[in-house]
Amino acid sequence: MPESVRIAVIGGGSPFVLSFIHGLAANAARWIASGFAIHLSLYDLAPERAARWARYADVAYRQTGLPIRASVAGSRDEALRDSRLVLVSAGAPDAYSLAHAMRDQYGFPYHSIHDGPPGFAAAKRLYPFCRDIGEAAMRLSPRALVLLLPNPTDALANAVARATGANVAGLCVEVEHLRDHLAYYTRRSPESIQLEHAGVNHDGWTLRLWIDGADGYPLLRGAIPALPERDDFHPGNW
């Protein structure tokens, strides 16, 4: 049997797990050649949500040969134990409600609740939860890389790493949001857009762009100047 690489997902019922499995499946040939297998351990307060992604991992195995098996952990510690990678994708409605309230009450000039004082308020509310995961990771899998999806990813990752000594980094979903924005700009569906992207978090570049299989830049250059004239134009889509 190949050696298993254990990956824990805290918030294993999150829709981001689907994208994560897709990314692994897209590199199935490299995983097969590596001689390693993947054990995806999913923990969620709603285990039935995690169970659907465990079933989907089996679909990825059957369709691509990706050497993966997934299980639903009965506890957070069970998921974390002996993991090489920990992905934290837990929702935080109370933290983001606080950020929204601050932005609206005090009129901060930020469109996003993840920037400026509202973003730091959300980080403060999220920090104890993320710190607890960092401490548990140090106890149960001290060599693991912990990736935080909750925003603001940079502030949270830095704070948790300093407090716990764990290997922590922020993981942004910029690319998927960028594809949605490009779909809005060009009046196309997100599924019609492909791009090569480089960079990390909010410092990224689109290297190549295809729309419906053709070079997408001429269409994009023509669409952008007309954006302010659209009835549904939103300043967040600059």
Side-chain angles (χ1 to χ4, degrees):
M1 293 291 291
E3 184 178 348
S4 179
V5 176
R6 187 179 179 91
I7 300 174
V9 183
I10 308 302
S14 164
F16 286 123
V17 179
L18 174 64
S19 297
F20 186 65
I21 294 173
H22 279 177
L24 294 172
N27 293 279
R30 296 176 64 182
W31 276 101
I32 293 169
S34 75
F36 288 90
I38 303 163
H39 177 199
L40 197 60
S41 184
L42 308 172
Y43 174 69
D44 199 281
L45 294 177
E48 67 279 3
R49 296 175 58 192
R52 64 180 174 175
W53 301 136
R55 294 192 296 270
Y56 193 82
D58 189 54
V59 172
Y61 161 70
R62 295 197 305 270
Q63 292 192 352
T64 69
L66 176 71
I68 187 172
R69 68 181 179 91
S71 62
V72 178
S75 68
R76 184 193 66 182
D77 284 7
E78 179 186 337
L80 289 174
R81 186 169 286 107
D82 299 325
S83 294
R84 297 287 296 276
L85 178 68
V86 178
L87 183 65
V88 181
S89 184
D94 60 331
Y96 298 137
S97 294
L98 171 64
H100 276 292
M102 285 190 64
R103 184 192 62 185
D104 296 342
Q105 180 176 353
Y106 297 106
F108 290 111
Y110 305 101
H111 164 65
S112 171
I113 62 167
H114 306 306
D115 298 315
F120 281 99
K124 186 176 185 298
R125 185 68 62 87
L126 279 160
Y127 170 70
F129 169 77
C130 294
R131 182 201 59 213
D132 288 349
I133 293 176
E135 291 174 347
M138 282 296 290
R139 176 168 49 87
L140 298 165
S141 48
R143 295 191 300 164
L145 172 63
V146 180
L147 295 178
L148 300 180
L149 268 75
N151 279 300
T153 55
D154 49 356
L156 278 173
N158 184 55
V160 173
R162 286 173 176 268
T164 67
N167 299 312
V168 188
L171 181 63
C172 184
V173 294
E174 175 196 359
V175 179
E176 282 303 306
H177 287 317
L178 173 60
R179 192 169 72 145
D180 290 337
H181 284 279
L182 291 171
Y184 170 83
Y185 297 156
T186 59
R187 298 179 184 266
R188 296 297 196 275
S189 69
E191 292 75 19
S192 70
I193 295 175
Q194 293 180 301
L195 61 138
E196 289 183 358
H197 184 272
V200 66
N201 215 5
H202 294 161
D203 296 316
W205 298 266
T206 300
L207 304 180
R208 299 178 68 186
L209 170 66
W210 299 269
I211 301 176
D212 292 322
D215 181 5
Y217 285 108
L219 179 60
L220 181 62
R221 283 193 289 267
I224 287 178
L227 281 176
E229 301 173 8
R230 290 175 54 171
D231 292 339
D232 63 346
F233 176 69
H234 193 286
N237 280 309
W238 284 95

